[in-house]
Amino acid sequence: GAPGSLLATAGAMRAAGLLLAWALLHPAATQQCHPASPGGVLRFTDRHAEIRVPALHRVPSSLDPLYGLVRRCLDLIQQNPLPTELLRTALNDPGSVRTSQVVQYELGYVVCAAVALLFTVAVPVAGMCFCYCRSRRRCGGRLRAHRRSLGCRRRCLLACLSFTSLIILISVTCAFVTSQRVKGQMEPGLGAVPSTLRTLRQHLANVPQGVQMVVDKFEVPRKQIISDLGGLSRSVGLSIHSQLKAMTYAALADLQDRAGDLQTSLHHLQILDRTARALAAARAELEPALRERRRRVVALLDDPRCTSCASVLGRAQSLELGADYGKVPSVEKVLKAMAGLPRSDFAEMIRQGNGTFNSIPELAVERMAQVIQDLRDDLARTAEKVQSIADGFPLSDYTRPASEALLKAEDRSQPYLREVERFERYRWIAGTVLCSIILLILACNVTGMALGAYGLSKREDPSDYECRGEAGAKFLLVGVGLAFLFSWLLILLVFATFLVGGNIQTLVCRNWVNQEIYKFIDTPGNLPPSMNLTRQLNLRRDSNLSSTYRECKSGAGLWEVLQLDRSYDLDEHLKTPKYTADFQKRLGEFTANLGDVRLLRSEGRQDLETFARSGVDEVDYGRFQEEMKNPVVQTSLPGLARNLEGLQKMQRNSTVAGRLAAEARALWQMQNSTVQSQEALVAKLGESVQFLSRLAPHLKERVKRTLATTASVEARLPVQAQQILRQELGCFTRKELRYFTQYLNWVGQTLREDVASCQPLATALDNGRVILCDRIADPWNAFWFSLGCCTFFLIPSIIFAVRLTKHFRPIRNRLISTGSEETCPFHIPRVTALKL
């Protein structure tokens, strides 16, 4: 038990020493800041509820092939590029525009106008001629003779008129559909113009509100910093405690070991002194008894009557005392020097030191309460500084010209839009009426062909009158009359819509898609000063509409487009030190004494110093160990007693045998009563000697090291606590500055790209192209193209219908069966009342 406890104590002392050495060789100041956790990144949501312009896109349609065909036809009609010179002259000096320039550019349209004029004049004239012929019973009358080829010719005319009518039907159907589509797109398209302009103005007017919303997002880092401040003091205290506990606990453990050495050494010294005295007194008492017992045993064994006793006689004669503890060094001087130790309560002292050190987190909370409150006040003042970003943001001076230009464009567009809407209503009415007339012409053609064919099938003699065939012929002639009567109106409507829609496609849409319009606007001098978009929109002088459009489409902001950076240095207003100087200064100047811990008071130090000077290490413990090697009695009493008991059994003389038995019992009694108690004292003495002999050589060194370590730890604790405090505050400052930096960077990015975005402008331009070109111009042009097909196919329809009319009426003369073209001279026509 005792050797094991000594080894455990020695192992604990070595471990404490190593731990203390590690703590002293690795100062707390070398600790680094904790790496940034994912929570260190701020999330700014719901940036700015911008007024967005919804992007419109071309919707695929079943009429796309028709639209493509019309565009290719227009590209053939108008092959000239954008008339830059003509437009420049027209915009800057309209009076100097020469007609020849316009005719040269519009040459394709002039040719189409000539064709339309020719059609407008020729078809009504032809109609009048036809009416004159009908009055003379020449056109649309009856066949004069029957020929063998009439059936084939009639079928061919029926097929041609049917095919022509089918083409007209398909064309008029496309005209109806496209006309209705133009009407359906025109109203929302026209309404989108002022709506988009208002949306853009609202977007510009909403920018200050967006800036304020961005500034108000300072609440995100402010709440995070306040949350971090709430745990700062305890975190600092725990960090100090965590980083210094190894050194402090090692010093306290070392001090506890020295206090234990003092207590244990004093205890063993007292045992050593008492035991040595007791062994000396016991030896003095045992010596006469042992001498008398030796004399009697020797005399008995030397008796001639004792059989075989000579073998044991020598052992009995050597019966004498062994170890003499009166010769060992005295420890009275050491005990006298250690009298009254320990004067201080080391256990209480260590408990108090441990408690003071463990209370550092609570002490940090108490000492840092005021500075944390001051930091909260600094944050409130920082919020006021951040508000100055919104107060000083130069928006009104830069957005006012653009807003005024948009408002002026909105006001000026209203009359034109109303006129366009009115003319579109007239176009739709005229188109619907004329398409209906075309359908009526088709109905006459279809009815005429049906009745005529039915009448032919019922007529037995070609010269017989048949009312259904006659009705079919009249229906065809009614269709012809309607075609002659309204064809000039149709061609006028076709040409009018063709001239408008074609020029929109070739002059505007085609050059809008390839951005030739932007290049024209960007070229200086092309636009009059009143239409200078760069000045009205307050764009950069080195900028133009094309670059502005590309920048806006790519997501650039009004900040860049309106050149705000030239008058307002946003980077200067978003410098982090401008808002964090007070915060940093207050944290940098803060100090607090958080490491004032007393591990060893002066009384305890004096006790340890007295213990080291007491002379424990000067005692010659080797003398004790040499003396302990000697037994209490040189000859083993139990062995001698057993020898005597063996001799007793060999004796024939009962008197000698009885005396041998008595002497054996006396030796056993001496062994059990006296020698064993002295051996127990010797064993107890051995434990104390062993402990003291192992402690003594290192006592002064250990005590000296403990005193030095304790003093060093007491001196280093405040210094290192202050270093850790500065380090933790530095880490905290850098962490909070990152929040400020994140916020200010986000503010800069948001103000430049999101809040004052000019992407709605690019979207509005794209939407204008989609509405005008894809949703209005395409069906508009498809309408006149389809109506034009109907109009031009009325000419073959008229021809086929007039030619077919004769076949539905009875012929004047009887048919002859020969292939000759001459009429039979002996044919007597029947007298019938034929109606012409």
Side-chain angles (χ1 to χ4, degrees), residues 188-201 409-410 413-414 417:
L190 296 177
V193 175
S195 173
T196 301
L197 294 176
R198 281 194 300 271
T199 301
L200 292 176
R201 285 195 296 110
E410 182 181 350
S413 66
Q414 294 293 343
L417 295 176

Side-chain angles (χ1 to χ4, degrees), residues 390-458:
D391 298 338
F393 203 65
L395 288 171
S396 58
D397 296 339
Y398 291 86
T399 58
R400 189 183 300 112
S403 297
E404 292 175 353
L406 292 172
L407 179 60
K408 188 181 298 183
E410 182 181 350
D411 294 337
R412 290 183 176 180
S413 66
Q414 294 293 343
Y416 296 102
L417 295 176
R418 285 194 293 270
E419 289 297 316
V420 170
E421 187 176 4
R422 185 166 63 90
F423 283 115
E424 162 57 20
R425 185 162 55 251
Y426 294 157
R427 181 209 64 79
W428 180 79
I429 293 173
T432 303
V433 170
L434 292 176
C435 287
S436 300
I437 291 174
I438 293 175
L439 288 177
L440 182 59
I441 294 173
L442 289 176
C444 290
N445 288 347
V446 172
T447 304
M449 286 188 292
L451 290 175
Y454 184 72
L456 288 176
S457 65
K458 295 296 183 181

Side-chain angles (χ1 to χ4, degrees), residues 715-728:
R716 289 167 64 89
L717 277 177
V719 177
Q720 293 195 4
Q722 187 65 27
Q723 290 176 351
I724 297 171
L725 173 65
R726 298 266 28 98
Q727 173 196 333
E728 290 296 320

